[in-house]
Structure formats: C-alpha cells, structure tokens
Amino acid sequence: MGKYSNKGNKGLGGGANMQSLLKQAQKMQEQMQKAQEEILSAEYEATSGGGAVKVVVGGDKFIRSLEIEADVVDPEDVEMLTDLVTAAVNEALRQVDLTTQEKMGAIQGGMPMM
C-alpha cells in the first residue's frame, strides 16, 4: 500500500477504541442536553435593596417576574430605583451563568466550554 498505509500505526486506535470514544461522546452529549434542559426549565431569583426589588429569570435569561415595593418608588430618586432593578437583574443572570458553568463543567470534566 505504500507509505500511506496505517498498518501497524497504534496511534490511530482500533475499531474497539473508536467505538468506546463514540459511546463516551454520545453519553456526554446526552448529559449536556439533559443539563441544558434543567438549566432552561429552572428559575433564578435575586433581590436588591433588602428585598425591595425582586426579579425572577428563567434559564433562557428572560425575566419571568419583577416585583418592586411601593416605598422604593420615589419620583425624586428614579436613579436609586434604576440601580436596584439593575442589581437584581444582573444577580439573577449571574446565577444562570454560574449554574450553566457548574453543570456543563462537571460533565466536561473541567474542559473549557466552547
């Protein structure tokens, strides 16, 4: 066959090794899909201002609910309310990201996510 033959080339692995790798890859893909479904179906809640603002986001990073206590609605200080809402939303989104990293990282065995 000439110089392109891989006869005796142990670096490429045999059929059994390839099947094992394919099974591992398929299992990892199934675990990742399950984790993704869990992340998307979960809700993440965060508050700010001692609970004056509460936000709930889904794993898809869409806001499900936003609650604001009446006593923090001050027409004279809209900036404070804006800061409270921003802080609560950012914290909830951070929780989604952390959960995603933890679940996917555990499946990938510490390999970086692409």
Side-chain angles (χ1 to χ4, degrees), residues 22-67:
L22 288 173
K23 284 181 182 180
Q24 287 177 334
Q26 184 178 10
K27 182 179 178 182
M28 181 185 278
Q29 184 177 12
E30 289 169 1
Q31 290 173 331
M32 290 179 74
Q33 184 174 354
K34 181 180 177 192
Q36 189 77 24
E37 290 169 3
E38 290 172 1
I39 292 164
L40 289 173
S41 66
E43 291 188 337
Y44 304 83
E45 179 181 309
T47 62
S48 64
V53 174
K54 178 176 126 180
V55 67
V56 177
V57 299
D60 57 2
K61 297 186 178 181
F62 283 94
I63 295 174
R64 301 282 190 261
S65 68
L66 174 64
E67 298 175 16

Side-chain angles (χ1 to χ4, degrees), residues 96-111:
V96 175
D97 289 341
L98 283 175
T99 301
T100 300
Q101 289 173 358
E102 288 171 3
K103 286 183 181 268
M104 295 303 181
I107 293 167
Q108 294 176 340
M111 291 173 49

